[in-house]
Amino acid sequence: MEYLPAAAAPAQGHILCCQCGVPIPPNPANMCVGCLRAQVDITEGIPKQGTVHFCKQCERYLQPPGTWIQCALESRELLALCLKKIKASLSKVRLIDAGFIWTEPHSKRIKLKLTVQKEVINGAVLQQVFVVEYVVQSQMCEDCHRIEAKDFWKAVVQVRQKTVHKKTFYYLEQLILKHRLHQNTLRIKEIHDGLDFYYSSKQHAQKMVDFLQSTVPSRSKSSQRLISHDIHSNVYNYKSTFSVEIVPICKDNVVCLSPKLAQSLGNMSQICVCIRVTSTIRLIDPRTLQIADIDGNTYWRHPFNSLFHPKQLEEFIIMDINRVHEKKKGAGAGARSVKHTLAEAWVRKTSELDTDHQYFCCTHLGHILNPGDLVLGFDLANCNLNDEFANKMNPQHIPDVVLIKKSYDRCKRQRRRNWKLKELERDREATDTDDERQYQDFLEDLEEDEAIRKNVNIYRNADIPVESDTDDDGAPRISLAEMLEDLHISQDATGGEGAEMLTE
């Protein structure tokens, strides 16, 4: 007679699974984990696949119903966006953990590894891990769609300056590039006396207006035009226009102040030279070196104009010059410039070298002028001043000549210039030789004025070698320490398009 061995008795404290008979610790379901999972699937009803929409132009993801957010790969923001897609299904279970499974950046796939728990048969808690895969589909957002349309805008900023020279606009262009305020523009259009900036929202346009008013003396006004409206939802669609007018004064302009304004600035002379235009207009009195800063509000209360056109600059030669070391201050006089030196000079026009006619003048350029130097200036003795305040002045108080800046060989300066500037991408009108001359004037101003250079990104031009200073004619130059390297990376490690880097 043959006896079959009896089933092994379970260890003390264990029970047999009611399905497969495996010894297990006691639980409310009296089943092992394998049988319990075979009987119950706690992930049932949770989608294992989904779709997220991605805009290639601005690299943002769509968060329904209509919000586009910036998310990096495997970031918290992207994880929250994916979990919101299945939020309703996850309400039936308890989410314990969530994380990303690595995928190729160009695979258009995002995989999430989720760990959930749920109470099942007789109060037993079952934990399960599963994967949800999302397909990334390309969809252009509304903002990028408007940008590509190029003719759809909701706000425009019209910047104007009623002057023939564009020095202030060139300086303003560099400030916009440095602070990256051109990124939100749909289009930039250049016209005869200014620039037009088009935006997709009124907020971006208002930000540009605030920036302009803080960087250059200006005033602005706004208007809006109703395009359409919905009487049922009370929604109105407007197009806004912001008009910004910059003061019509540029660097190296000779101006005539009103008597009241000149007195309020410390009894300075009415005939002054503009040496800089930043957030204020800086004037200097060539007779006393007294300086004054005029902001936009003061200018519009007491407006004044330039006496000369830039093309009216004439070339003089220094015959003799005497530096004035001390000059008594007048009553109530303001601050004086410490960067300039007062001098008395006898000059002669280079066009009148065959004559003995000379002009006497006081100048603020005594620190850089020597006998025999060439200098640019305006001839007030042989011109008709068509200005309200200048016509009422005592002729004895009007100087014969006002010297503006020392003259250097422009061709040699251009050959030595081993740096460059970036420009805004804009719709241009046909450029002429006068625009190129004005741009060269602006580049020379950067070389001569360190205060303006601090607000401008200057890049080294690797195509032009650095020359030695053996044949230097004394023209101001920008040192290599003030230049930035302009690096262009064509492809990054993943094969995508690289970005520009600035390293000092």
Side-chain angles (χ1 to χ4, degrees):
M1 191 173 193
E2 188 175 358
Y3 292 95
L4 297 173
Q12 186 175 4
H14 285 66
I15 63 173
L16 299 177
C17 174
C18 65
Q19 294 289 332
C20 62
V22 175
I24 59 171
N27 61 65
N30 296 329
M31 281 190 285
C32 64
V33 176
C35 295
L36 194 58
R37 287 179 175 172
Q39 295 287 332
V40 181
D41 182 13
I42 64 173
T43 65
E44 184 179 1
I46 301 177
K48 306 302 188 295
Q49 290 185 338
T51 303
V52 293
H53 295 90
F54 176 72
C55 178
K56 292 181 179 180
Q57 278 73 15
C58 60
E59 298 183 351
R60 294 186 298 174
Y61 291 87
L62 174 63
Q63 179 176 327
T67 305
W68 292 84
I69 58 176
Q70 198 87 25
C71 300
L73 287 176
E74 300 190 5
S75 63
R76 282 186 174 185
E77 294 80 7
L78 185 57
L79 181 62
L81 175 66
C82 295
L83 290 177
K84 286 181 180 179
K85 295 275 187 179
I86 55 175
K87 181 179 180 181
S89 304
L90 290 176
S91 61
K92 301 177 181 178
V93 296
R94 179 187 302 170
L95 181 63
I96 302 301
D97 187 28
F100 288 97
I101 299 177
W102 186 86
T103 56
E104 285 285 347
H106 303 288
S107 64
K108 299 292 185 181
R109 297 293 186 274
I110 299 175
K111 291 185 179 181
L112 297 186
K113 181 181 179 182
L114 305 181
T115 303
V116 295
Q117 287 182 353
K118 185 179 181 181
E119 185 176 333
V120 290
I121 303 173
N122 297 327
V125 178
L126 183 63
Q127 180 171 305
Q128 192 170 341
V129 179
F130 65 103
V131 176
V132 180
E133 180 179 351
Y134 293 91
V135 179
V136 180
Q137 292 187 353
S138 298
Q139 178 179 332
M140 186 178 291
C141 66
E142 293 182 0
D143 295 337
C144 294
H145 192 77
R146 292 171 184 149
I147 294 175
E148 292 298 324
K150 294 184 184 298
D151 58 348
F152 185 90
W153 53 272
K154 287 189 174 180
V156 60
V157 179
Q158 299 174 340
V159 187
R160 301 290 184 267
Q161 186 182 30
K162 298 177 182 179
T163 181
V164 294
H165 208 291
K166 298 182 179 180
K167 284 184 180 180
T168 307
F169 276 107
Y170 291 135
Y171 173 68
L172 196 59
E173 176 185 19
Q174 298 304 316
L175 291 180
I176 293 172
L177 285 169
K178 183 174 183 177
H179 295 278
R180 300 180 181 274
L181 286 177
H182 63 291
Q183 293 181 335
N184 295 322
T185 56
L186 299 177
R187 178 190 178 197
I188 302 176
K189 183 180 179 181
E190 179 180 350
I191 61 173
H192 175 64
D193 56 349
L195 294 171
D196 289 345
F197 298 87
Y198 295 89
Y199 294 91
S200 59
S201 68
K202 184 178 179 180
Q203 290 75 16
H204 291 155
Q206 185 64 56
K207 184 178 179 180
M208 172 60 82
V209 174
D210 296 339
F211 173 77
L212 293 174
Q213 291 183 331
S214 64
T215 52
V216 290
S218 58
R219 62 180 177 181
S220 66
K221 59 182 180 180
S222 62
S223 62
Q224 59 183 9
R225 179 164 56 96
L226 179 64
I227 304 300
S228 62
H229 72 281
D230 187 349
I231 60 175
H232 301 288
S233 59
N234 201 27
V235 174
Y236 292 82
N237 183 21
Y238 289 99
K239 278 192 174 183
S240 303
T241 300
F242 295 88
S243 178
V244 179
E245 183 181 359
I246 303 175
V247 295
I249 304 297
C250 291
K251 185 178 182 298
D252 297 335
N253 283 165
V254 176
V255 300
C256 184
L257 307 179
S258 64
K260 184 177 180 180
L261 178 60
Q263 183 180 7
S264 66
L265 296 176
N267 291 326
M268 64 189 306
S269 301
Q270 289 184 246
I271 302 294
C272 298
V273 179
C274 176
I275 58 175
R276 187 181 304 133
V277 177
T278 52
S279 57
T280 59
I281 304 172
R282 170 153 289 195
L283 302 177
I284 187 169
D285 183 355
R287 290 186 172 186
T288 62
L289 296 188
Q290 186 174 336
I291 57 175
D293 290 326
I294 301 176
D295 58 10
N297 294 331
T298 304
Y299 175 84
W300 298 117
R301 287 198 303 268
H302 306 281
F304 50 87
N305 297 313
S306 174
L307 297 181
F308 294 94
H309 191 281
K311 292 183 179 180
Q312 293 178 282
L313 275 172
E314 297 187 60
E315 191 175 57
F316 296 84
I317 186 171
I318 302 294
M319 306 303 296
D320 189 18
I321 185 167
N322 296 317
R323 291 169 179 82
V324 180
H325 299 287
E326 292 185 5
K327 187 166 184 176
K328 186 178 179 181
K329 277 190 175 184
R336 291 183 177 179
S337 174
V338 296
K339 295 183 179 181
H340 299 84
T341 301
L342 184 63
E344 296 176 347
W346 286 92
V347 298
R348 180 183 296 178
K349 291 184 182 181
T350 56
S351 60
E352 299 177 354
L353 292 179
D354 54 342
T355 65
D356 295 333
H357 191 96
Q358 295 186 11
Y359 301 90
F360 175 80
C361 64
C362 294
T363 178
H364 59 289
L365 304 177
H367 57 296
I368 59 174
L369 293 182
N370 294 296
D373 287 345
L374 297 178
V375 63
L376 298 177
F378 293 108
D379 181 7
L380 280 73
N382 302 312
C383 70
N384 293 324
L385 295 179
N386 185 17
D387 184 81
E388 176 186 0
F389 305 121
N391 293 335
K392 297 179 181 179
M393 286 183 62
N394 187 341
Q396 297 180 355
H397 295 163
I398 300 178
D400 293 339
V401 172
V402 176
L403 303 182
I404 301 300
K405 59 183 178 179
K406 188 175 179 179
S407 178
Y408 301 96
D409 187 350
R410 170 163 287 189
C411 295
K412 187 180 292 186
R413 293 183 72 170
Q414 291 182 11
R415 289 197 306 267
R416 290 179 178 177
R417 189 169 292 139
N418 59 341
W419 53 274
K420 60 184 179 179
L421 301 177
K422 292 189 175 181
E423 297 182 5
L424 287 174
E425 295 183 2
R426 56 185 182 268
D427 300 336
R428 295 177 177 269
E429 293 183 344
T431 57
D432 53 15
T433 56
D434 190 54
D435 291 340
E436 180 62 26
R437 182 187 59 82
Q438 293 181 15
Y439 187 69
Q440 292 299 325
D441 289 343
F442 172 69
L443 297 183
E444 293 175 1
D445 290 343
L446 286 181
E447 293 175 335
E448 297 168 3
D449 195 340
E450 183 181 357
I452 298 180
R453 288 203 301 269
K454 293 179 180 179
N455 302 326
V456 176
N457 284 338
I458 299 174
Y459 300 90
R460 189 171 71 87
N461 190 354
D463 299 333
I464 301 178
V466 180
E467 296 183 0
S468 62
D469 295 336
T470 55
D471 57 344
D472 192 3
D473 58 352
R477 300 176 67 178
I478 298 178
S479 63
L480 289 175
E482 299 180 76
M483 301 180 192
L484 301 174
E485 291 288 347
D486 188 14
L487 299 182
H488 296 277
I489 301 178
S490 58
Q491 288 189 343
D492 55 15
T494 59
E497 294 184 356
E500 297 179 1
M501 295 177 58
L502 300 180
T503 58
E504 192 167 359

